[in-house]
Amino acid sequence: VNQVVTHLIQAIRSREGSFSSIERLGAGSYYEHVKVFEPNEFDIMLVMPVARLQLDECDDTGAYYYLSFKRNPKEKYLLKFLDEDGKLSAFKMLQALREIIKQEVKNIKNVEVTVKRKKAGSPAITLQIKNPPAEISVDIILTLEVQQSWPPSTQDGLKIEQWLGRKVRSKFRNGPLYLVAKQNKKEKVLRGNTWRLSFSHIEKDMLNNHGSSKTCCESDGPKCCRKGCLKLMKYLMEQLKMRHTKQLEKFCSYHVKTAFFHSCVMWPKDTDWQPGDLEHCFQKYLGYLLDCLQKSQLPHFFIPQYNLLSPEDKASNYFLSRLLNYELNNGFPTLHE
């Protein structure tokens, strides 16, 4: 994967075009060290720095935005990606990047790499790497990095003061803002000009430095079972999704991860997650997730007004909560298989 991605980045940069300033950022479960099953899926964010953008909310979630330039941008090469309303078109940018990548994979000699067909509304360009030892898919996600303050919808999010501390919260909030080319499905006409805030760089940081004491789970520090709980829940969820694909298609590992972060805030001390209490901690965390499913209410960790479990999906929320209750009351048969 590294070989393929490094090749692509060097090739894209050498083209003197719109994407010559991209950097690479690993995101997702592999880089958070919470991958369950084989490492056969990777998310690579290709980050493009942009000086300043105008952000306009495009719905009530506080997560999706239209982007435009305030005045003459330094990044003149981005002007060709504006649509007729002067909005930066995620669709146009993805298409341009996709074309470059399609041409460049042909030059990768010792590995067989193909670009998968475009999935409607997906922010990713997916590469398929064939042959040794298994097939690997790599999602390349176009990401804008903007040096400006976070929008108002994030004001009351990231409530980590009791868990990771006030300083850590301000450190995160003073960092840049990331936006990914993600289609907002709620739009009546899918024009491909919406972008979604992304916090995966901070999620990775929180998972890798998850203790209220700085040494939690370091080689010589005290251990906790936070990550163990998250991995168990991800495993359980993936198994249930394999069995009930249709009914659970609305759910993804992000729901599980968001509920996990809320649990870390509710039980902020490292002593709340003793390694010997894995079973008890897992059940508390599951209890919180079940509560969210009952109420059809799971607030986005960074954008509290954005509910990740919409009430119009009540039926699938109840379906999952029945399955999880069955697991809980029968000693987790799925985990024992």
Side-chain angles (χ1 to χ4, degrees), residues 124-333:
I125 297 166
T126 306
L127 307 178
Q128 205 70 30
I129 301 179
K130 295 274 191 330
N131 297 339
E135 217 166 84
I136 297 173
S137 79
V138 181
D139 276 353
I140 292 188
I141 297 150
L142 175 62
T143 310
L144 303 179
E145 178 185 70
V146 194
Q147 300 292 342
Q148 65 194 51
S149 52
W150 291 17
S153 63
T154 62
Q155 196 56 55
D156 300 323
L158 191 59
K159 281 268 162 268
I160 55 173
E161 292 87 343
Q162 306 299 312
W163 166 35
L164 298 173
R166 213 169 254 135
K167 281 196 181 125
V168 174
R169 184 177 191 266
S170 14
K171 182 192 86 177
F172 285 151
R173 288 187 57 95
N174 290 330
L177 195 58
Y178 289 93
L179 293 137
V180 293
K182 178 76 176 124
Q183 182 63 61
N184 182 1
K185 295 202 175 68
K186 283 199 182 136
E187 289 214 301
K188 302 283 179 286
V189 188
L190 296 183
R191 297 233 298 283
N193 59 3
T194 58
W195 297 76
R196 192 186 63 201
L197 294 178
S198 164
F199 301 94
S200 44
H201 58 299
I202 295 177
E203 291 159 9
K204 178 169 78 173
D205 203 321
M206 291 194 302
L207 279 169
N208 290 334
N209 304 288
H210 54 251
S212 46
S213 84
K214 293 288 168 261
T215 54
C216 185
C217 289
E218 286 184 2
S219 51
D220 44 359
K223 300 284 177 266
C224 80
C225 66
R226 286 181 182 92
K227 276 193 164 178
C229 286
L230 178 58
K231 283 180 171 174
L232 276 176
M233 192 73 85
K234 285 181 61 141
Y235 178 79
L236 180 57
M237 193 70 168
E238 288 188 28
Q239 294 297 79
L240 293 174
K241 274 191 72 137
M242 280 192 239
R243 278 180 220 162
H244 309 276
T245 313
K246 194 84 196 89
Q247 296 93 325
L248 299 181
E249 65 182 355
K250 290 273 191 290
F251 298 102
C252 61
S253 60
Y254 198 69
H255 290 103
V256 169
K257 184 159 78 164
T258 300
F260 170 75
F261 287 138
H262 285 301
S263 301
C264 289
V265 166
M266 288 160 81
W267 299 290
K269 296 198 292 292
D270 296 343
T271 48
D272 296 327
W273 302 86
Q274 301 275 17
D277 297 340
L278 176 68
E279 189 174 348
H280 170 66
C281 294
F282 181 69
Q283 291 188 9
K284 279 199 309 190
Y285 163 32
L286 178 61
Y288 171 74
L289 181 58
L290 280 166
D291 192 42
C292 293
L293 289 164
Q294 284 315 154
K295 296 178 182 153
S296 288
Q297 185 70 36
L298 172 61
H300 189 289
F301 193 67
F302 298 83
I303 309 167
Q305 70 194 55
Y306 181 18
N307 178 13
L308 297 177
L309 293 176
S310 78
E312 52 247 38
D313 298 330
K314 261 209 174 88
S316 40
N317 297 343
Y318 285 153
F319 185 85
L320 178 58
S321 96
R322 281 205 308 278
L323 292 177
L324 290 173
N325 265 311
Y326 177 82
E327 293 287 330
L328 181 61
N329 299 326
N330 293 281
F332 299 102

Side-chain angles (χ1 to χ4, degrees), residues 12 17-25 45-51 53 69 75 77-78 80-81 88 93-94 97 141-147 176-179 195:
I12 293 167
S18 319
F19 302 102
S20 55
S21 58
I22 55 169
E23 297 285 338
R24 158 192 191 157
L25 186 66
M45 297 171 85
L46 286 195
V47 179
M48 277 182 79
V50 181
L53 286 167
F69 291 107
E75 298 83 4
Y77 53 84
L78 289 178
K80 64 170 179 284
F81 298 126
L88 191 56
M93 284 186 77
L94 269 179
L97 184 59
I141 297 150
L142 175 62
T143 310
L144 303 179
E145 178 185 70
V146 194
Q147 300 292 342
L177 195 58
Y178 289 93
L179 293 137
W195 297 76

Side-chain angles (χ1 to χ4, degrees), residues 1 3 38-42 110-112 128-137:
V1 170
Q3 182 197 335
E38 297 76 36
N40 56 359
E41 292 177 347
F42 295 83
N110 43 0
V111 202
E112 193 186 333
Q128 205 70 30
I129 301 179
K130 295 274 191 330
N131 297 339
E135 217 166 84
I136 297 173
S137 79

